[in-house]
Amino acid sequence: MSLNSLRKGQRIRIGESEFLILQRLPESRWQLQNSITGEWCVFPEDDLLHRFAHNDISFIPGAPLCVPAAEDLAERLSRNLTTYAPELVELGRTREQYLKEIDRHQPIAITRSSMEPLIRLVSERVKDAKPPGWLTVWRDYRKWIAAGRDIRAIILRHADQGTRGPRMLPDVQNICDQVVQELYMTAERKRVPEVHLEIIRRISDANKFRPEVERLPIPSRSTIYREIERKSPYEVMVARYGKRRAEMEFRVSGAGPETSRALQRVSMDHTPSDMIVVDDNTMLPLGRPTITSALDEHTRCPMGFYAGFEPPSCLSVMRCLKHAILPKTYVPREYSSIKNPWKCYGVPELVVVDNPPEFHSSHFERACLQIGVDIQYAKVRVPWYKGKLERFQSTMNHDLLHGNPGTTFSNILDRDDYDPTKHAVILLSTLREMLHKWIIDSYLQTPHRGIKDTPAHRWHEDVSALPPPLPPNATELDVVLGMTAQRVMFHYGIELVGLKYNAPELGELRRRIGSNSKVDMTFDPGDLGHINVLDSQKQTYIRVPAIDHNYANRLSLWQHKVIRRYAQQQLSARTDIVALAQAKAEIRSLVERDFKRKSTHGRKRHARFLQDHSSETAATITLQPACNEYLNDSEVMPMSARVMPAPGRAPAQLVDFTDDEVLPVFEANLDLPRLPIGESEAPRSEKPND
């Protein structure tokens, strides 16, 4: 850092203008000249010092024009001290001691006789084995004084010796730039050796038409590497990897949205677990469950999760949201080994989500509107917009799942020869217990660097004065978090995807509002055992059970569509409830028969069909046993006798299919429904049978 003062010849900047100090006037005033307009002006010294204290005036470093080599000195002062080699800085510090000794003996004439005793004195004090000569000290002193006693003025610049920049001939430089632009700066990402060979070929072609003495030299491969290193890293990444990758690599991260209280901002997202789990009964690997989690960003507390083989959908989102809102009173009852409570619950003010279809569905938007939750959609393909949740999910996979048998790691390259399918031993039920144990007894109790506290203690402090808000009752929450639809009431009730629902209360409503009237309803896509019909006059919901409750109870919408399509294709196009019950039993038999011989992805789809999707426990992962209560032992027939193909249709053959297909194996040849991952609309009503 240079030391400056108000003196003749010093340049200063006042605001946006640059001035040169001309002279000091009587009564502590200074005469300045505008460097651009040439206008003279006078400032009191106190006014200049006051402006300097308030950062309105700054000194412009550099030597006066009368100093020899002023341009070189100005270049030295513009260079940061950290860019010099440490040994050069240390040498400059030693040489500065000679200059400071001269300052102590001022006024003194700088001559050989006066300087040599001072140089011997300083060299003995600093133990300098090679002290400089008196002329060197005199030149350093002039530059040092001109630079405002800045050490950078006397540091040697040995490292700057030599020619700077490329030394190639202009024609060779043009060929290299052209080849690098055409081959290296492309999305195909050609390697430097390939670029070098092309440069050699083009230079050789150019030399064919040149005399011997004018032939272009061929640059080495190291020269091409240096030419590429001189290019902007950002431009290289844009050309080779795309603008999005470059923006992500060179982005400037800020602090993110600020929060001041719990439940002010809650993030939700899906992630596949980095572990292959096995079936509780057969011990066969099922695959990687999907975990939908919600995190309060202010306290860093996990609010809830949903884990299962249901792909990211409206069902998994609603289950996670319900688990986040309701108190976790089931924990001490179901998991006695957990020592701490999970006191995180309540309706959030704002939910931050990504842009998949399940978060843009009308059901999710309506549910959030009814419980008073605002939705904020993150920017597309910007994962750091929800960086706190992304970090939590990464920590969960690394701390909880990595290192256990059956882990898939976060990167396939980390596996080496490890086969997670062969080593998988963690049961579905064990995984659920592990998730609860890690969240409650580990993550919530560990000091978090971002909040400088434990999440559990931060949550307790935030909600101690004002308890978290809750809905009127859990039943109403189930109604609000369901999928919506409109249906017409008939004498036999309401029909939804081939299932009929009726109750005395529904008949009474039909008598009040009239026949063939449309009503609004909600239903749980994980349990078609009942629907909730809105009484528009009383503004209450009526719980209407399915007529065949034994079939529809705890049956998910996806399972029902699979069964219904199977019944239409295989059971002579009969879609009555008896055919559906028979199809349900047959499909479960097919699932259990093929369960052991399929790949991990196939078993994962089978596990989704067997999974209990009801909402009794929001984060539960359970599989239902084979359902044969609809057929007696005497009624169970071999498949060859039971499955009757439709007239004119060849019998369907069960064949293997690839792992990337969506539905179980028995659906491969039957053209069963392939549901989108995030189905956002309720199924349309079918024309009732008169």
Side-chain angles (χ1 to χ4, degrees):
M1 177 187 298
S2 61
L3 302 179
N4 303 274
S5 61
L6 295 174
R7 65 178 186 270
K8 180 181 178 180
Q10 177 68 51
R11 292 182 297 153
I12 62 175
R13 181 175 286 107
I14 304 178
E16 298 295 330
S17 302
E18 183 178 322
F19 293 86
L20 176 65
I21 299 179
L22 297 179
Q23 61 178 332
R24 184 172 184 176
L25 302 176
E27 300 179 358
S28 299
R29 295 181 302 163
W30 290 89
Q31 186 181 40
L32 280 64
Q33 181 183 18
N34 191 305
S35 300
I36 298 177
T37 64
E39 179 183 1
W40 291 3
C41 51
V42 177
F43 289 91
E45 184 172 321
D46 290 341
D47 183 28
L48 294 177
L49 295 177
H50 176 76
R51 289 170 179 256
F52 177 80
H54 289 79
N55 204 28
D56 291 336
I57 288 181
S58 60
F59 291 96
I60 300 175
L65 297 179
C66 60
V67 177
E71 295 182 0
D72 178 70
L73 187 57
E75 182 183 352
R76 287 170 177 261
L77 298 181
S78 63
R79 182 171 174 179
N80 194 287
L81 189 63
T82 58
T83 61
Y84 291 98
E87 56 272 15
L88 294 179
V89 176
E90 186 62 30
L91 179 59
R93 184 182 290 112
T94 302
R95 296 177 67 170
E96 191 180 30
Q97 298 302 316
Y98 296 95
L99 311 182
K100 290 182 177 180
E101 188 67 24
I102 296 176
D103 261 1
R104 297 188 190 101
H105 288 78
Q106 288 291 354
I108 185 175
I110 302 179
T111 62
R112 178 191 295 270
S113 59
S114 62
M115 290 294 102
E116 287 184 349
L118 292 180
I119 292 174
R120 284 195 301 269
L121 176 65
V122 174
S123 63
E124 292 175 358
R125 186 173 66 232
V126 300
K127 298 179 181 181
D128 187 4
K130 295 182 179 181
W134 75 274
L135 287 175
T136 301
V137 173
W138 172 66
R139 285 192 294 266
D140 286 349
Y141 188 74
R142 291 183 62 192
K143 291 186 289 185
W144 188 60
I145 292 297
R149 292 174 171 79
D150 195 324
I151 191 176
R152 291 176 292 180
I154 61 173
I155 292 180
L156 299 179
R157 301 174 60 184
H158 294 162
D160 296 340
Q161 294 177 353
T163 306
R164 288 285 170 267
R167 292 178 289 179
M168 290 189 293
L169 296 176
D171 291 343
V172 178
Q173 184 72 52
N174 293 336
I175 293 176
C176 291
D177 292 343
Q178 184 178 2
V179 174
V180 169
Q181 191 67 32
E182 292 177 1
L183 297 185
Y184 188 81
M185 303 286 284
T186 60
E188 288 73 22
R189 304 170 196 168
K190 295 286 187 180
R191 298 167 57 246
V192 175
E194 300 178 52
V195 176
H196 183 236
L197 291 177
E198 179 62 19
I199 292 174
I200 294 175
R201 187 190 68 80
R202 295 195 185 186
I203 292 179
S204 299
D205 292 343
N207 285 336
K208 293 178 182 180
F209 306 99
R210 288 174 174 265
E212 184 71 25
V213 294
E214 296 181 6
R215 290 191 175 179
L216 302 176
I218 296 177
S220 65
R221 185 179 298 177
S222 301
T223 302
I224 305 306
Y225 274 109
R226 287 193 296 269
E227 287 297 314
I228 293 176
E229 288 176 358
R230 292 190 181 100
K231 290 185 174 295
S232 166
Y234 174 79
E235 294 178 359
V236 171
M237 184 161 288
V238 169
R240 292 172 65 85
Y241 297 93
K243 185 174 178 62
R244 177 178 175 270
R245 172 75 177 274
E247 293 290 346
M248 182 184 299
E249 183 71 20
F250 295 96
R251 70 183 185 275
V252 179
S253 299
E258 294 185 1
T259 55
S260 58
R261 56 192 177 277
L263 296 174
Q264 182 180 355
R265 183 183 176 95
V266 175
S267 302
M268 288 182 63
D269 201 2
H270 316 282
T271 182
S273 62
D274 288 347
M275 175 177 288
I276 292 179
V277 299
V278 299
D279 181 61
D280 291 49
N281 299 320
T282 64
M283 296 301 293
L284 289 173
L286 294 177
R288 302 168 60 184
T290 299
I291 301 177
T292 305
S293 51
L295 180 78
D296 177 64
E297 294 191 0
H298 181 69
T299 63
R300 301 300 201 278
C301 285
M303 297 295 300
F305 70 91
Y306 172 79
F309 293 107
E310 179 72 19
S313 61
C314 190
L315 173 60
S316 59
V317 170
M318 296 301 190
R319 289 288 186 270
C320 177
L321 189 58
K322 178 182 178 181
H323 191 226
I325 294 175
L326 293 181
K328 320 304 190 285
T329 55
Y330 66 89
V331 172
R333 181 179 67 254
E334 296 188 14
Y335 305 107
S336 58
S337 63
I338 295 180
K339 301 179 179 58
N340 298 284
W342 191 359
K343 295 185 178 180
C344 306
Y345 65 90
V347 179
E349 300 177 22
L350 174 70
V351 173
V352 184
V353 295
D354 278 332
N355 292 273
E358 61 268 19
F359 289 123
H360 280 279
S361 67
S362 59
H363 313 293
F364 178 70
E365 294 176 348
R366 177 199 54 82
C368 290
L369 180 63
Q370 286 194 256
I371 61 179
V373 177
D374 295 328
I375 304 175
Q376 183 176 0
Y377 294 100
K379 295 181 180 179
V380 178
R381 304 180 74 178
V382 184
W384 56 87
Y385 196 84
K386 306 190 317 307
K388 298 179 179 65
L389 179 60
E390 298 286 345
R391 171 57 63 183
F392 165 74
Q393 293 176 338
S394 175
T395 303
M396 176 179 63
N397 278 322
H398 280 80
D399 290 2
L400 176 64
L401 304 181
H402 291 186
N404 291 315
T407 178
T408 60
F409 300 98
S410 296
N411 191 331
I412 191 173
L413 300 178
D414 296 336
R415 297 184 192 176
D416 293 326
D417 295 334
Y418 183 82
D419 187 352
T421 303
K422 293 181 180 179
H423 294 82
V425 296
I426 305 297
L427 302 177
L428 280 170
S429 55
T430 305
L431 176 63
R432 179 174 180 246
E433 184 175 358
M434 289 169 58
L435 288 169
H436 282 82
K437 181 76 174 177
W438 179 80
I439 290 175
I440 300 172
D441 284 347
S442 177
Y443 186 83
L444 288 175
Q445 313 304 324
T446 302
H448 195 287
R449 182 178 59 182
I451 60 175
K452 299 178 177 59
D453 199 354
T454 62
H457 186 259
R458 172 63 69 89
W459 176 271
H460 176 73
E461 284 189 340
D462 274 32
V463 302
S464 57
L466 183 64
L470 287 170
N473 55 72
T475 302
E476 184 172 338
L477 182 64
D478 285 335
V479 174
V480 170
L481 295 182
M483 297 179 70
T484 59
Q486 279 191 339
R487 291 294 184 270
V488 178
M489 291 188 299
F490 297 96
H491 62 279
Y492 54 80
I494 292 177
E495 186 173 354
L496 175 70
V497 288
L499 297 177
K500 294 183 175 62
Y501 298 83
N502 208 350
E505 296 83 358
L506 192 64
E508 192 273 334
L509 175 64
R510 181 166 169 262
R511 285 191 291 270
R512 282 192 285 112
I513 66 175
S515 182
N516 297 332
S517 299
K518 276 191 175 182
V519 292
D520 294 321
M521 52 167 285
T522 68
F523 65 95
D524 185 351
D527 184 4
L528 298 181
H530 69 278
I531 60 174
N532 304 286
V533 179
L534 176 64
D535 186 340
S536 57
Q537 295 179 348
K538 298 181 179 180
Q539 292 299 310
T540 58
Y541 279 93
I542 303 172
R543 182 185 175 99
V544 182
I547 294 178
D548 194 335
H549 191 263
N550 289 334
Y551 167 79
N553 187 36
R554 295 191 175 184
L555 183 74
S556 72
L557 176 63
W558 182 81
Q559 290 170 328
H560 174 63
K561 287 189 174 183
V562 171
I563 294 170
R564 193 178 181 200
R565 177 63 63 87
Y566 181 85
Q568 291 175 345
Q569 295 287 341
Q570 296 293 86
L571 301 178
S572 302
R574 292 184 291 121
T575 57
D576 55 79
I577 200 63
V578 177
L580 293 179
Q582 182 179 348
K584 184 176 181 180
E586 291 179 3
I587 289 176
R588 290 192 177 277
S589 299
L590 284 171
V591 170
E592 292 188 345
R593 186 193 70 186
D594 294 335
F595 195 80
K596 296 182 180 180
R597 69 180 180 87
K598 286 303 296 177
S599 64
T600 302
H601 289 190
R603 282 193 292 267
K604 182 177 179 179
R605 292 188 291 272
H606 286 68
R608 180 190 177 192
F609 185 85
L610 294 174
Q611 185 175 340
D612 183 359
H613 296 272
S614 60
S615 60
E616 292 184 357
T617 303
T620 303
I621 311 174
T622 57
L623 297 184
Q624 296 177 345
C627 181
N628 292 322
E629 63 266 28
Y630 307 105
L631 300 175
N632 298 327
D633 293 340
S634 59
E635 296 174 331
V636 177
M637 299 178 293
M639 287 298 297
S640 59
R642 225 169 48 224
V643 179
M644 300 296 295
R649 180 186 294 272
Q653 301 294 328
L654 298 177
V655 296
D656 291 341
F657 66 113
T658 57
D659 284 342
D660 58 352
E661 294 186 39
V662 177
L663 300 176
V665 63
F666 50 85
E667 302 177 42
N669 256 5
L670 302 180
D671 194 25
L672 291 179
R674 297 181 179 273
L675 303 183
I677 290 178
E679 185 172 21
S680 61
E681 297 297 333
R684 298 178 180 177
S685 61
E686 296 187 358
K687 184 178 180 180
N689 298 324
D690 295 330

